Amino acid sequence: MISFKLDGKPTLSNADQSEPLLHILANDLGVNGPKFGCGLAQCGACTVLVKCDPLRSCVAPLSSVQGRAVVTPSGLMRDGQPNKLQQAFIHEQAAQCGYCMNGMIMSAQALLHKTPKPTEAQVRTALDGNLCRCGVHNRVVRAVMRASRGA
């Protein structure tokens, strides 16, 4: 049995400990924020936060979160409202199809936790491992910069 917190709530799973965390989140726990993209930790769509660090849940075994806190985009919300980063993404219209947004938001949140006032270059570096075929990278960067200003 694996015990961890998911978006602030105690969670137990008796799934195979070697099963990718993403599969447990989606199939067993009904979490639909992290997405299956490449399955190789290269696109970022499956990113979650563990101790404020981005983790590619498609390759992380369930056992890797034993006793830890896992945060998805739902866990960033407060009282059902988007946090300032999520609100900045909305304001900047930083999504087209939205498939990559989970990874973009979670990677950006990790950056803002460590570097509350990043430069544009730092934002671009932090998001470099998140792929988006729609081409909204410039809007995403604007959204992260907006959130860092508290706007």
Side-chain angles (χ1 to χ4, degrees):
M1 185 71 72
I2 298 291
S3 172
F4 62 101
K5 281 193 174 183
L6 176 60
D7 295 333
K9 298 175 186 152
T11 304
L12 294 172
S13 176
N14 62 358
D16 182 335
Q17 294 183 17
S18 65
E19 187 77 17
L21 175 61
L22 177 63
H23 296 176
I24 305 308
L25 293 174
N27 300 334
D28 297 352
L29 301 173
V31 175
N32 62 10
K35 304 289 188 232
F36 181 87
C38 65
L40 301 169
Q42 294 178 354
C43 74
C46 67
T47 305
V48 297
L49 297 182
V50 176
K51 287 198 164 199
C52 299
D53 291 322
L55 174 74
R56 302 296 170 96
S57 65
C58 70
V59 295
L62 175 61
S63 62
S64 70
V65 298
Q66 170 62 41
R68 302 175 86 187
V70 176
V71 180
T72 71
S74 296
L76 298 178
M77 299 178 76
R78 296 292 171 248
D79 299 321
Q81 298 299 312
N83 75 357
K84 70 179 181 178
L85 177 61
Q86 292 168 314
Q87 189 58 52
F89 269 69
I90 294 166
H91 184 82
E92 293 293 338
Q93 299 179 6
Q96 274 185 323
C97 82
Y99 202 81
C100 68
M101 282 303 106
N102 172 83
M104 296 281 197
I105 289 171
M106 301 313 285
S107 294
Q109 188 67 55
L111 170 67
L112 292 174
H113 178 76
K114 291 179 178 148
T115 310
K117 300 290 184 193
T119 64
E120 184 175 319
Q122 288 172 310
V123 172
R124 290 185 183 281
T125 298
L127 298 176
D128 192 43
N130 295 89
L131 304 180
C132 173
R133 292 186 58 132
C134 299
V136 297
H137 282 91
N138 289 330
R139 290 182 192 175
V140 169
V141 170
R142 283 196 310 265
V144 177
M145 295 304 292
R146 173 185 284 273
S148 75
R149 293 188 306 268

